[in-house]
Amino acid sequence: MSRAVSRLRSSLAFLVGAALVAPLTLVGADPAAAAEFSVTSLEFTVRAGDRSCTLDADLYRPAGVDARHPAPAVLATNGFGGSKSDGTTDALGRAFASRGYVSLVYSGLGFGKSGCLITLDDPAVDGKAASGLIDFLAGTRAADDGTEADYVVSDGPGDPRVGMIGGSYGGAVQLATASADRRVDALVPLVTWNDLAYALAPNATGARHGVSSDTPGVFKWQWTNGFYLIGEGQPLLVPSLDPSRFNHLTCLHFSTPACDTVRLLNSGRFPAGSTRQMLAYARSVSPVSYLADVEAPTLLVQGQADSLFNLNEATATYRALQARGTTTKMIWQAWGHSGGHAPGELDLATGNLDTSYVGQRILAWFDRYLHLDTGADTGPAFAYYRDWASGYGTADALPDASRTLYLSGDGALVDERSQVASGSRRYTNGPLPTSHSESSLAGLIGLSDPAPYDTKGTHLGWTSAPLTAPVDVVGAPKATLKVRSPATERVQDSGDAADKLVLFAKVYDVAPDGTQELVNRLVAPVRVPDVTRPFTVELPGIVHRYETGHRLRFVIAGSDTAYFGNRGLRPVTVVSAPQDTGVLELPVAR
């Protein structure tokens, strides 16, 4: 492995397995008042799918907790590329043990010293494995060395009172476990996904529900290949060896369907049969496929600065849980996979669980559902971080689209359909990417990341007049568009989704001096199902104040450096007229 790849793997492992979990782990309790606890390393042989796997775990037991004085439990595991032994995962066990919880922290399957393959938090594999640990907390099974736990609060025979917490990969496994085991009593998934097919190859149009589209999306090559390198960079320890993998020398650590999905995405080709198979697997291991089985009260925390798992993913999970009647609330914090840490937010460096807004909400959630404190205030249904107010706004529901703008033929973004000027404008993508939103890998391998840009002739933009009052956008903007692309129309029904038109939509904030900001550097990749019909694009959710005097600028681009793009050159024309024009809808907080 080259030095650059080695550095990439270690940097990404820190980001996903440590940095994303760290801010939620260290508590701000007074050390003198914190409970003492012991730490015991344990191994468990558990059933996971069609085989038995070894799980490497640490048990944190508070002093004074015994069969006569039981305590509720907290179960947690690592982010992708981490293990029970990395500093941040260990901090989870210590944080909750110091508060009197029995904490069990383990290395996920395929990571650390835990065995078996990486199956991307498959509920039938990873969820089933975690269920074996819940048996231990219930006192119905022992660890491999005979250690038993008879000191966890019970809700009934074989039913311990247990919550789960963790971020990213350690977030999705909570939902997977709760779908497979109804004994889980509370969940706090942070910065995780709803649908891996959307996360790794997003299509921001044609969603049949949530974020899931039947048309394959646009390959997010930087993030996906970064995770592949992390997975394949895991040491080949004896517990992880699987002789069958030596027939897959380029994919020793992942299950065959997971490996095949990455290969298909990298190929740049999406023939109908293979594509359906890829989408089916990615979704089968994603919450979108099993949320109907999740009953545990769930506090979702998602990051606004997150180009991997954006706010739309948490929103889809939130709405699905609400629809099935599961108690759920949602917080949009500032930080996510793309950084974005803000002063005063939940943060490892300051240990401010007691003083940060999100930290207090987490503590209250566990107070309510693990300690059964009916007086615990779990907060509003929805909260979001506002950088212009240095604090959180709250609401009973997500804002609806309440401001509508129209795409005029002269490049203006106007308030009334009657103001639309007739006209047509055209762009063509280049042979190489000519627009840039962000490089998710640049900072990790020591490279600079230029500001977002769009090259002349390869994009179109529509700009509003200066705002006469601030506009607070909270949620996912939507754009309804109709384009003309004869080159695409001739081939889009070939059976290979790669022959369909790809474009990228985004909204800039343009300051009075002309400088522009792409909020959190987020973009909506689109593979248009049919260029002969109008389509609606749901952009990534944002929380942003467009100040008085600033202008909104909506852009359609032909490419983006963080994604695979069109196969061949695709001229695109947008025609506007008062009776037939594009529409941009903004969810505005009141």
Side-chain angles (χ1 to χ4, degrees):
M1 182 180 292
S2 71
R3 183 176 300 177
V5 171
S6 178
R7 182 177 180 184
L8 169 62
R9 182 176 69 83
S10 61
S11 298
L12 272 172
F14 172 78
L15 174 66
V16 180
L20 295 180
V21 178
L24 61 96
T25 58
L26 187 64
V27 298
D30 180 356
E36 295 182 357
F37 53 86
S38 61
V39 184
T40 305
S41 294
L42 299 172
E43 285 190 351
F44 299 86
T45 301
V46 298
R47 196 68 183 167
D50 62 355
R51 63 195 63 195
S52 294
C53 302
T54 299
L55 285 179
D56 185 32
D58 284 337
L59 175 68
Y60 299 76
R61 179 178 176 180
V65 171
D66 55 30
R68 294 181 59 190
H69 306 90
V74 172
L75 182 64
T77 189
N78 51 275
F80 198 90
S83 74
K84 71 159 194 178
S85 300
D86 63 48
T88 54
T89 309
D90 172 66
L92 277 170
R94 295 180 180 277
F96 288 97
S98 70
R99 294 181 173 277
Y101 291 94
V102 175
S103 299
L104 186 59
V105 175
Y106 69 101
S107 298
L109 294 177
F111 296 104
K113 294 183 180 180
S114 289
C116 290
L117 299 171
I118 299 168
T119 57
L120 305 179
D121 282 342
D122 186 339
V125 181
D126 301 86
K128 184 65 175 177
S131 185
L133 299 182
I134 295 174
D135 289 338
F136 168 74
L137 295 171
T140 59
R141 66 160 294 166
D144 290 355
D145 67 357
T147 298
E148 296 181 338
D150 61 354
Y151 39 76
V152 175
V153 172
S154 175
D155 290 324
D159 185 1
R161 192 173 306 153
V162 56
M164 297 185 72
I165 188 170
S168 196
Y169 200 73
V173 74
Q174 299 174 50
L175 295 162
T177 303
S179 74
D181 194 326
R182 301 294 176 88
R183 294 175 296 176
V184 181
D185 297 290
L187 306 176
V188 184
L190 291 96
V191 295
T192 197
W193 67 87
N194 171 267
D195 182 354
L196 273 179
Y198 171 84
L200 304 182
N203 192 9
T205 192
R208 48 190 170 87
H209 61 81
V211 293
S212 299
S213 171
D214 289 325
T215 301
V218 186
F219 182 37
K220 192 184 291 184
W221 69 269
Q222 291 186 354
W223 276 117
T224 305
N225 287 319
F227 283 116
Y228 170 79
L229 289 174
I230 292 174
E232 287 306 293
Q234 298 298 306
L236 280 174
L237 300 174
V238 172
S240 298
L241 286 175
D242 182 339
S244 70
R245 305 317 297 159
F246 291 102
N247 294 322
H248 301 75
L249 291 180
T250 61
C251 210
L252 291 172
H253 294 82
F254 291 87
S255 68
T256 297
C259 186
D260 289 346
T261 296
V262 174
R263 286 173 172 163
L264 177 65
L265 290 170
N266 269 308
S267 74
R269 304 191 68 87
F270 302 100
S274 298
T275 300
R276 282 195 299 269
Q277 183 178 3
M278 180 271 288
L279 290 174
Y281 175 74
R283 288 187 176 137
S284 73
V285 298
S286 296
V288 65
S289 294
Y290 54 74
L291 285 172
D293 296 322
V294 175
E295 295 182 345
T298 302
L299 177 63
L300 294 164
V301 182
Q302 203 78 352
Q304 296 172 25
D306 202 323
S307 60
L308 177 60
F309 306 136
N310 63 39
L311 297 177
N312 297 12
E313 301 241 34
T315 300
T317 298
Y318 175 72
R319 287 174 170 158
L321 289 175
Q322 279 193 320
R324 64 109 37 230
T326 296
T327 299
T328 183
K329 295 184 178 182
M330 183 167 62
I331 303 172
W332 291 352
Q333 63 182 16
W335 63 264
H337 287 79
S338 304
H341 292 268
E345 276 209 293
L346 191 62
D347 180 64
L348 176 64
T350 59
N352 61 346
L353 190 61
D354 291 288
T355 59
S356 65
Y357 178 80
V358 175
Q360 292 171 352
R361 293 285 301 273
I362 291 170
L363 292 177
W365 200 255
F366 282 161
D367 281 347
R368 173 64 185 87
Y369 297 108
L370 299 185
H371 285 299
L372 302 187
D373 179 1
T374 58
D377 182 3
T378 60
F382 174 56
Y384 52 96
Y385 182 78
R386 303 172 298 179
D387 59 0
W388 65 90
S390 298
Y392 280 80
T394 63
D396 293 330
L398 278 69
D400 294 323
S402 54
R403 178 154 186 171
T404 303
L405 299 169
Y406 300 90
L407 281 58
S408 180
D410 56 4
L413 198 58
V414 298
D415 292 312
E416 302 291 340
R417 187 179 292 273
S418 61
Q419 297 172 329
V420 172
S422 297
S424 64
R425 305 166 70 216
R426 192 174 93 157
Y427 73 86
T428 302
N429 64 288
L432 296 174
T434 54
S435 287
H436 178 74
S437 56
E438 65 127 27
S439 171
S440 56
L441 304 182
L444 300 174
I445 57 177
L447 300 176
S448 60
D449 188 8
Y453 63 80
D454 300 290
T455 302
K456 185 177 181 180
T458 65
H459 74 285
L460 294 176
W462 291 262
T463 307
S464 74
L467 297 171
T468 58
V471 174
D472 297 341
V473 176
V474 179
K478 291 184 179 180
T480 300
L481 306 170
K482 184 174 182 180
V483 301
R484 294 178 182 171
S485 179
T488 300
E489 191 173 345
R490 288 193 293 268
V491 299
Q492 68 177 2
D493 297 322
S494 67
D496 188 337
D499 286 327
K500 296 181 182 295
L501 176 68
V502 170
L503 57 84
F504 299 84
K506 45 197 168 181
V507 180
Y508 288 95
D509 180 341
V510 183
D513 63 2
T515 58
Q516 59 182 22
E517 173 190 2
L518 181 58
V519 180
N520 289 320
R521 304 181 74 144
L522 296 172
V523 63
V526 175
R527 192 181 300 275
V528 181
D530 184 350
V531 295
T532 67
R533 298 176 179 273
F535 55 96
T536 298
V537 178
E538 183 171 57
L539 283 75
I542 59 173
V543 178
H544 183 71
R545 168 166 283 187
Y546 293 84
E547 297 282 3
T548 300
H550 287 227
R551 293 172 291 160
L552 288 89
R553 186 166 190 251
F554 175 72
V555 168
I556 302 173
S559 62
D560 192 279
T561 55
Y563 298 84
F564 281 3
N566 287 289
R567 181 187 296 170
L569 300 183
R570 301 290 176 91
V572 175
T573 300
V574 180
V575 178
S576 295
Q579 69 276 12
D580 185 14
T581 186
V583 176
L584 177 65
E585 299 173 277
L586 303 173
V588 177
R590 299 298 183 184

